[in-house]
């Protein structure tokens, strides 16, 4: 039989029916994509002709395309937010629309809106999209409610556009808790997100080290290239101990501030160290070891004493689970005992404990000022603007004093309630994890939060509206830890159901 006769002998009706049923849908989708493409192309062409710089038009079109993708794929938005937090935390979209939006702000907003749209539609890959509540939602909502009340109570000092904009960015960082626990529903997705965090954090450490290794003139020139994205272009592009160029330079990477950079590295180190010691790490051990070494070296060169002590504390906690850390760490401890006493790091640590250096004296003055503010405004604080009394100055290098200053003792109590309930929830469910990989994931996330809270004794960045990327990083770790517990419970429940079904069949 010839090819033509074989083809003509096949039944054509089912194929024609399928074509008639499917083609209109494909045609509609193609027309929508074509219409969007033509619209964006025309808009980009008009802007390229009308605007003084034709690159602005192409940038706007690319931004719209990226925004549509992130709006349609909230998990992709979350990954972009992680990359921005680690690599470009202060980046500003170079197109002003009433306000100057940062990349992180726009990404978190798209994450929240994309998740809410998906929730409202109620469909996700042919499955019902339902809201997943957190274990201590009421405590987080109480904290947010008190923060809004503190803002409104001192509206006269907190109503400037800069303060309100910074508070909005901080609010988005906290609200990201719910999209994360609702979107990260599978173990594979959570593992992928942890890989993104570790790779971006490790890259941030290597970027900082690479810049630090260059001549200071070259460093300055490279960092000034970030000026159009909202980065500083003044003399504080490079940072020095006690802001004195005659003293040691402090590594900052692309994080502007060495102390916030150090705090981010501590949280990343918690994940890297836990994964390196895990029997089933999420990345190759050589890669984890390289990123951990780079992060530790970058942390040392920040000269951030609070962050360095926080890293030591979380390493001690991790060693209770992975006892081999004591064995692996002994050579490094011995090397530190020999090398550290002859370094600026050791000298600065001793000066800090003795209260002799300028920065320690400044911290002590800030604590005294914080006590004075809390004494005058004990219940709901002074809001988020400047201190209402001219003899007081807002701002203190401590999470806990910052919360007490801004939201009063009641706000501090609400913050501690969130912390305690998180620790009880995650700590209580740690031993219920069914696999070593889940235990390593949960331990790394828990240690990241504990590291941030430890660093927060002497630094304020994780609860400062001017550093929303640090707040976003803290709440991301909190949310992912909760998501890991929920995923392990779901997997355990499904395994139990399968076992019961097998028993019934037998």
């Amino acid at each position: 039989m010839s090819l033509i006769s074989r083809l003509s002998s096949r039944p054509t009706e089912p194929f024609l029916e399928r074509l008639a049923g499917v083609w209109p849908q494909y045609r509609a989708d193609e027309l929508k994509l074509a219409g969007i493409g033509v619209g964006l192309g025309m808009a980009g062409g008009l802007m390229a002709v009308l605007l003084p710089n034709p690159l602005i038009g192409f940038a706007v079109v690319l931004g719209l395309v990226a925004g549509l993708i992130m709006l349609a794929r909230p998990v992709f938005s979350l990954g972009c937010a992680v990359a921005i937090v680690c690599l470009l935390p202060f980046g500003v979209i170079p197109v002003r629309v009433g306000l100057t939006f940062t990349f992180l702000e726009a990404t978190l907003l798209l994450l929240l809106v994309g998740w809410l749209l998906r929730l409202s539609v109620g469909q996700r890959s042919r499955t019902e999209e339902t809201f997943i509540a957190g274990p201590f939602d009421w405590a987080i909502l109480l904290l947010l409610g008190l923060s809004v009340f503190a803002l409104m109570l001192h509206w006269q000092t907190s109503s400037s556009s800069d303060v309100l904009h910074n508070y909005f960015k901080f609010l988005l960082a906290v609200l990201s808790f719910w999209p994360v626990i609702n979107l990260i529903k599978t173990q594979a997705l959570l593992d992928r997100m942890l890989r993104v965090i570790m790779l971006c954090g490790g890259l941030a450490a290597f970027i900082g080290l690479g810049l630090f290794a260059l001549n200071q003139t070259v460093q300055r020139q490279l960092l000034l290239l970030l000026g159009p994205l909202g980065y500083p272009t003044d003399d504080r592009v490079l940072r020095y101990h006690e802001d004195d160029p005659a003293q040691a330079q402090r590594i900052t990477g692309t994080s502007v501030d060495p102390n916030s950079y150090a705090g981010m590295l501590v949280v990343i180190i918690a994940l890297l160290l836990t994964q390196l010691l895990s029997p089933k790490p999420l990345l190759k051990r050589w890669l984890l070891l390289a990123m951990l070494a780079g992060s530790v070296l970058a942390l040392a060169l920040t000269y951030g004493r609070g962050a360095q002590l926080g890293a030591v504390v979380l390493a001690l906690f991790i060693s209770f689970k992975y006892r081999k850390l004591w064995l692996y760490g002994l050579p490094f401890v011995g090397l530190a005992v020999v090398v550290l006493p002859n370094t600026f790091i050791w000298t600065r640590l001793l000066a800090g404990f003795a209260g002799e250096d300028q920065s320690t004296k400044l911290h002590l003055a800030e604590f005294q000022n914080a006590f004075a503010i809390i004494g005058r405004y004990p219940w709901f604080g002074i809001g988020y603007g400047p201190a209402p009394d001219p003899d007081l100055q807002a701002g203190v290098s401590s999470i806990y004093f910052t919360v007490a200053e801004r939201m009063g003792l009641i706000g501090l109590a609400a913050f501690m309630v969130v912390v305690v309930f998180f620790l009880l929830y995650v700590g209580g469910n740690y031993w219920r994890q069914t696999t070593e990989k889940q235990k390593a994931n949960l331990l790394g996330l828990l240690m990241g939060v504990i590291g941030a809270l430890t660093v927060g004794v002497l630094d304020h960045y994780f609860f400062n509206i001017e550093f929303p990327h640090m707040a976003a990083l803290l709440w991301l770790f909190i949310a992912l830890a909760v998501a890991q517990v929920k995923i392990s419970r779901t997997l355990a429940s499904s395994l139990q159901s399968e076992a019961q079904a097998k028993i019934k069949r037998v």
Side-chain angles (χ1 to χ4, degrees), residues 73-83 86 111 179-180 183-201 268 271 282-283 441 445 473 476-477 479-480 483 487:
R73 296 288 184 267
V75 175
F76 177 70
S77 300
L78 181 58
C80 291
V82 171
C86 295
L111 169 66
V180 173
L183 293 170
I184 308 299
K185 295 181 179 180
T186 65
Q187 191 63 55
L189 200 54
L190 190 140
D191 293 345
R192 191 184 312 160
M193 193 56 57
L194 292 184
R195 293 188 186 99
V196 171
I197 295 173
M198 290 187 289
L199 290 172
C200 290
I268 299 300
L271 269 184
L282 298 177
L283 295 171
N441 290 352
L445 293 166
L473 187 61
L476 172 64
F477 269 61
L480 288 176
I487 290 169

Side-chain angles (χ1 to χ4, degrees), residues 221-251:
Q221 291 173 348
L222 290 175
L223 290 173
L224 286 175
L225 294 177
L226 298 175
L229 299 180
Y231 272 70
T233 56
D234 54 15
D235 294 336
R236 289 173 63 84
V237 171
L238 300 183
R239 303 296 292 272
Y240 301 92
H241 177 55
E242 296 183 353
D243 287 332
D244 183 2
Q247 298 197 42
Q249 182 189 351
R250 304 182 66 186
I251 187 172

